[in-house]
Amino acid sequence: MDSVGTNRTPLRSAAAAAPATRSSALPWPHCHPAVGNRLAATKLGIAARCGGAGGYFGKVQRFDAARSTTARAQSGKAARSVIREMGHTASDSEMPLKYSSGKAFPLGVSQVDGGLNFAIFSQHASSVTLCLKLPERGTQDDEEIVEFALDRQKNKTGDIWHVSVEGLPASGVLYGYRINGPQGWQQGHRFDDSVILLDPYAKLVSGRKYFGVDKEESSQFFGTYDFDSSPFDWGDDYRLPNLPESDLVIYEMNVRAFTADESSGLGPAVRGSYLGLIDKIPHLLELGVNAVELLPVFEFDELEFKRFPNPRDHMVNTWGYSTINFFAPMSRYASAGGGPVAASKELKKMVKALHNAGIEVILDVVYNHTNEADDANPYMTSFRGIDNKVYYMLDLNNNPQLLNFSGCGNTLNCNHPVVKELVLDSLRHWVKEYHIDGFRFDLASVLCRGPDGSPLDAPPLIKEIAKDSVLSRCKIIAEPWDCGGLYLVGRFPNWDRWAEWNGQYRDDIRRFIKGDPGLKGVFATRVSGSADLYQVNNRKPYDSINFIIAHDGFTLCDLVSYNSKHNDANGECGRDGCNDNYSWNCGVEGETNDLIVRRLRSRQMKNFHVALMISQGTPMMLMGDEYGHTRYGNNNSYGHDTHINNFQWGQLEERKDGHFRFFSEMIKFRHSHPILRRDRFLSKNDVTWHEDCWENQESKFLAFTIHDHNSGGDIYLAFNAHEYFVDAVIPPPPHHKSWSRVVDTNLESPNDIVPEGVLFTDSGYRIAPYSCILLKAKP
């Protein structure tokens, strides 16, 4: 999810929701609540995103055939436009720049013989001007922008505008475009050449240096490049982990929030950075996870809420679901304000370090919308000004307004041939340049819609991602819903390649563990792999990404501590975030010193974790749940760059021998028992359900044995969601084996989990209220 005014991660009850509406008149940049003879459309390889509101103010050199002098007003300041002839300069101190026609491909900036080539797509533009910012030509306060107006006859091939420039440095230059075109709003155009736009194919983006520092003068985002640096050294012994899907245990996390807190023990220059995450890899290994799913690391503007006075202008977008550019790593995740080049290098160092530790890297990617908001409060930085009618879905029968299936004001037109190629080029770039192992697609149902928003049975983009050779080694995961009610859990177009966030798993596990009646059979279905959803064609149990907690919604601690959301700090008067959380506060709302309530909450958190780790499918847990992180009931904390989101390393140390130990040992138990992570669905010989009354709606107890046909290492599990003790009859162990108790969540640490097991010889077990047990058959 990730929305502000809308529930972007719907619980099942929202499956038939109407198209998303905002809860106020504010823009909704993610919070979560992407030739020749017109060169074949599929080969247009086109544009992406970018950032920077308003124009740039400073001294401007302008080159164009008309040689006209113009005056611009940008950001409240006048920018001088100076006449220059091509190839000539204003003074001896300036380096000469020579311009030639250039070439249409590749899009973005590329090296060519004798210079650099700039290419950008715009089908409907009438004029395109390349803007170059050359710091060495001015002072810090009066930097010069050189502008060159492209000639439609010489600098345009089909719908791609291009120019080659000789004399530019191989790094350090900032660039963007002014683009003009038809002004007919009713035709879907939003051109405004007073704004310098970011190149969608910019591989690096330059903006502010430090995360969340609003005192930096410029909020302008420029593209930049680096052809000076040597290729990154991945090392002679470097290998990709290439883990089987069935072996994954995914840890959803935020790069900044993981180490931003002072309790991380890192220096201020490294906290909240890619390098900071490297320092904490030992924690991930101790926990036992082997894949990290990173909240967005594409360039985004964390200060977008501060553009004008509004109820959310006190917040900082720390989740990042508001992409400015699909190719550039978040530059303010570099250490010490190092900028875009450093960010690129440090991200690669982070990926290399994780891979060397055997941990895969999955990126949470947002191709369903951009940062550019809606028509009421637009934040024009790239696509809107380059070719709004191509890049966004429009309601052509309504003046044409932007369609909003993302809950954030706009919807990327992903199945338009040009936009489709942009997304594919972006994904390939992250795989080839940064060695990324997989992608989780935010609100992926948007990617299943046509240009008018209608659902498609065989969405071209979804199919091409599944079939692409570069992406063939990658895990691809859909969040199979959107804010327009297109709920596709178990029905997402998949070509036997796409996995899905299983929202039904989340809902059903939550409800059974907290004691809702009539869910015993559904609980059995979910822990055994959700065959009702995924046993079709050649799909596997691991195509179900099982989760109980994710970044949006309650943390695990809050799930057992709050009956309702407490989102007043978000400035939306409680309208944002999901209302149906299937949570239970165990008797007291919020923080409490009541030991009975606290012990019950501890049991419930362990019960949830056991259910997750013994379920067939791919488990995913949220950063911080391993020590019981709380957001104090805020279930939509996208805008808090504080302890609400930041990992609390001090609390981890306090709970290392109790809560953390249980979570870590349970993950390692899963790793060491292949029968919990099969690559096929369970047959009747694989599991015995110790149940003869499935129709009893009041029964909240379920026991079953998972059989090990190879070594006889059967596993017996029993879950009691009643508020009273249940005396369970324990079946005989396999021949020549005895039962050992590994888990009893009612016991205090360290007896709650004993990896080597404690011999158990009785024929019955008295299972406490709201608890579960796990027995292992051993010689």
Side-chain angles (χ1 to χ4, degrees), residues 35 38-48 105 107 121 123-124 159-160 201 389-393 412-426 428 447 449-452 456 459-462 464:
V35 204
R38 194 135 182 187
L39 289 178
T42 56
K43 199 50 191 147
L44 283 178
I46 312 327
F105 291 101
L107 293 171
F121 164 89
Q123 178 182 341
H124 296 101
D159 294 329
I160 297 178
Y201 273 78
K389 196 171 183 178
V390 167
Y391 284 111
Y392 293 114
M393 295 184 192
L412 207 64
N413 191 11
C414 291
N415 285 298
H416 185 288
V418 166
V419 187
K420 173 172 65 70
E421 286 302 314
L422 162 72
V423 174
L424 290 166
D425 286 343
S426 167
R428 295 174 189 131
L447 281 59
R449 295 181 181 271
D452 64 352
L456 304 174
L461 175 59
I462 298 300
E464 292 201 29

Side-chain angles (χ1 to χ4, degrees), residues 258-259 263-266 276-285 649:
F258 195 46
T259 64
S263 65
S264 67
L266 303 179
L277 191 152
I278 294 174
D279 192 80
K280 298 299 183 180
I281 289 176
H283 168 72
L284 301 176
L285 294 174
W649 294 92

Side-chain angles (χ1 to χ4, degrees), residues 290-398:
N290 57 14
V292 292
E293 184 174 300
L294 305 179
L295 267 63
V297 297
F298 294 5
E299 185 73 25
F300 63 93
D301 182 5
E302 73 277 13
L303 298 182
E304 62 185 358
F305 305 139
K306 301 178 182 294
R307 292 187 292 127
F308 55 86
N310 66 85
R312 296 191 296 150
D313 59 16
H314 61 291
M315 295 200 295
V316 171
N317 185 348
T318 188
W319 283 1
Y321 289 87
S322 194
T323 309
I324 282 179
N325 177 280
F326 293 128
F327 292 84
M330 177 57 173
S331 59
R332 287 170 298 289
Y333 285 172
S335 62
V341 175
S344 176
K345 293 177 180 177
E346 292 178 8
L347 175 56
K348 291 173 184 175
K349 289 180 180 178
M350 185 195 78
V351 173
K352 177 181 176 180
L354 286 164
H355 283 176
N356 287 340
I359 298 173
E360 292 197 335
V361 180
I362 299 169
L363 299 187
D364 192 336
V365 291
V366 186
Y367 293 109
N368 61 81
H369 77 286
T370 75
N371 67 294
E372 293 189 301
D374 57 12
D375 280 325
N377 295 283
Y379 181 20
M380 184 185 289
T381 58
S382 184
F383 302 103
R384 181 181 175 91
I386 293 172
D387 207 327
N388 185 74
K389 196 171 183 178
V390 167
Y391 284 111
Y392 293 114
M393 295 184 192
L394 301 175
D395 184 352
L396 296 176
N397 297 317
N398 184 24

